[in-house]
Amino acid sequence: EEALQESEERYRTLGEQASDGIFISDHQGHYVDVNSTGSKMLGYSREEILKMSIRDLIVQEEADRVVPEINRLQSEHTVISEWLFRRKDGTIFYGEVNGTTLSDSRLLGVVRDITERKKAGEILHRQNEYLALLNDMTRAILLSKDFDSTLNILAVDIAILIRADDC
């Protein structure tokens, strides 16, 4: 009995020290446990989260994904997916969820806020688009034999580059 209590306390301490949110729900998605990082991440108290389900913490547009994702998790046992979560204050963040089915059929979700990573990816994508467009513009200038048509092509490319409707 004492060894079991020590083991439970050790695992509780590990869960509380984790840098990711750890959520445990029943097989229908109703929360039965959450660590302090998960509570802080969403701005709710532990007690508030334990009265909620997965659908309560994601944006409305993601709600139709819940049942198929739970079914997939129960058949594959481990699933990694991205979700849009809504905090108590209404702000939204991207979360990567590493979900696992536990031996007692409860669901374990480890949530990591990936908002900054998503933003960096979007910036990198836009920068690559700009570089490709600049490369095309440079090529057009260097290969140009007709100055007027080259200027027209460049005007269109510049409008795209600055996201302008009219030049």
Side-chain angles (χ1 to χ4, degrees), residues 134-147:
L134 287 171
N135 185 43
D136 291 345
M137 291 168 60
T138 302
R139 183 176 298 139
I141 291 168
L142 292 174
L143 299 175
S144 172
K145 293 182 177 158
D146 178 2
F147 187 70

Side-chain angles (χ1 to χ4, degrees), residues 41-76:
M41 183 182 291
L42 291 161
Y44 290 99
S45 69
R46 181 178 186 279
E47 292 72 27
E48 288 173 309
I49 290 175
L50 296 183
K51 295 176 186 172
M52 303 171 113
S53 71
I54 295 168
R55 287 178 185 267
D56 297 322
L57 298 179
I58 58 173
V59 298
Q60 185 64 35
E61 297 78 22
E62 302 265 271
D64 290 342
R65 291 180 53 204
V66 173
V67 171
E69 201 71 8
I70 288 175
N71 292 337
R72 187 168 82 119
L73 181 60
Q74 290 171 336
S75 67
E76 296 178 24

